[in-house]
DNA sequence: GTGTCAAATTATAATGATTTTAATTTATTT
DNA sequence: AAATAAATTAAAATCATTATAATTTGACAC
């Protein structure tokens, strides 16, 4: 944890941003909820528990900043809000998601899986791939068993 | 064109919805801009050219309805608006997108490409895939040549 | 240490996309 | 033709996000 924060601090400094108390509190919440997909409001409420004086606008600005630095990825599952997802430690690309259309659960896939597909895209479509967003919609393991 | 509209009409009827003049006008706009990725507002303005009496709320409701029927897919490229994308004729799955981070252009890939990956997801993660969303972010052919 | 400046934050107001509401119109059934 | 349900309109409301103005913080110069 402290280790990850140190790294993020250095990333901020390298672009001459500071790790303010508000930013640190926000990062801590993100680290403590790494599996989740929190909205700005969600993050705000969680940060407020430990740092009640923080403002919602600051959380928004911090998340935007972390997004520019690629510390988090901003994603959208189609409900009306943006969600913020920490990059996995040392990950080159954004990870994938499995969204269950029955129960709404979201599972993560950290394996890349797209190496071959990206090579095809680069050669067939002459498009130089930098990153990807992949989400599968379907029935999760749980909901499958409940069905029959 | 008339052929596609007939099909959509039948899809609506099968769920006991009607193809009202407003709905037809909206579908026509979508068909005439199949390559584009129009926002609700975009669609509204285009429909208004031929049917000036239509209301924005109707366009929203129509797009929502078409989305439920899987005639269109609602997507989000990270700017603040939802965009509505017609399913390709007879397509089983949603098509993929190549978004250029330099110029913002969006290109479509109709080939599926994910067959193998989906098999892996089904067996390794025991997740029954129904559909997918895949977007690549990178440098388009045009912007590549301008670079050097 | 005190003054100065830029960056960051706060509280609040504004914006803009989308949804809801109430009244009206249209189409369908009796 | 009257009754009923579905769809639409115009307007207001909602809600996520962004902008604004005033205040605070922290680094640096004197
Ligand atoms: Mn995730
Ligand atoms: Mn498309
Ligand atoms: Zn499920
Ligand atoms: Zn480009």
């Amino acid at each position: 944890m402290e280790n990850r924060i140190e790294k993020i601090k250095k990333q901020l400094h390298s672009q001459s941003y500071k790790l303010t108390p508000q930013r640190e509190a926000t990062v801590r919440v993100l680290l403590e909820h790494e599996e989740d997909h929190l909205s700005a409001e969600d993050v705000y409420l969680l940060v407020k528990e430990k740092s009640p004086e923080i403002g919602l606008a600051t959380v928004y600005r911090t998340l935007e900043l972390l997004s520019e630095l690629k510390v988090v990825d901003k994603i959208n599952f189609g409900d009306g809000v943006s969600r913020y997802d920490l990059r996995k430690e040392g990950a080159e690309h954004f990870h994938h998601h499995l969204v269950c259309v029955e129960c709404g659960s979201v599972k993560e896939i950290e394996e890349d899986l797209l190496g071959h597909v990206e090579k095809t895209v680069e050669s067939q479509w002459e498009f130089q791939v930098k990153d990807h967003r992949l989400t599968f919609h379907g029935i999760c393991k749980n909901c499958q068993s409940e069905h029959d």
Side-chain angles (χ1 to χ4, degrees), chain A:
Chain A
M1 173 90 155
E2 301 310 316
N3 183 27
R4 299 271 307 268
I5 290 183
E6 266 311 306
K7 248 183 206 158
I8 291 168
K9 188 174 182 176
K10 275 182 191 130
Q11 262 182 288
L12 283 163
H13 284 164
S14 77
Q15 314 269 324
S16 61
Y17 291 113
K18 290 174 258 183
L19 183 64
T20 63
Q22 291 89 340
R23 287 176 183 165
E24 179 168 345
T26 303
V27 169
R28 278 186 192 280
V29 162
L30 292 173
L31 285 166
E32 283 160 7
H33 294 80
E34 188 152 18
E35 300 287 297
D36 298 345
H37 299 94
L38 305 175
S39 67
E41 180 91 29
D42 293 338
V43 174
Y44 170 64
L45 292 173
L46 287 164
V47 175
K48 241 176 152 11
E49 289 177 7
K50 301 229 171 133
S51 313
E53 71 300 334
I54 201 170
L56 177 56
T58 301
V59 171
Y60 268 102
R61 262 181 282 104
T62 301
L63 291 171
E64 200 56 40
L65 179 59
L66 294 174
S67 192
E68 276 163 32
L69 297 178
K70 302 256 166 86
V71 171
V72 302
D73 288 288
K74 191 175 177 178
I75 51 176
N76 192 296
F77 286 126
D79 52 347
V81 299
S82 293
R83 297 178 179 280
Y84 298 85
D85 204 357
L86 261 191
R87 285 250 166 165
K88 303 298 174 189
E89 179 115 50
E92 177 93 358
H93 286 142
F94 191 41
H95 57 264
H96 314 312
H97 294 99
L98 304 178
V99 177
C100 179
V101 295
E102 295 278 328
C103 68
S105 72
V106 179
K107 202 170 183 316
E108 312 202 321
I109 295 189
E110 295 190 34
E111 281 83 346
D112 189 328
L113 303 181
L114 288 179
H116 182 63
V117 174
E118 287 186 354
K119 278 210 186 68
T120 305
V121 170
E122 301 227 339
S123 62
Q124 301 272 123
W125 280 268
E126 300 178 85
F127 183 88
Q128 184 185 338
V129 176
K130 297 275 194 192
D131 204 357
H132 52 235
R133 298 288 177 106
L134 174 57
T135 303
F136 291 106
H137 300 246
I139 317 282
C140 78
K141 193 178 169 181
N142 252 326
C143 291
Q144 278 171 48
S145 45
E146 280 172 18
H147 253 294
D148 6 68

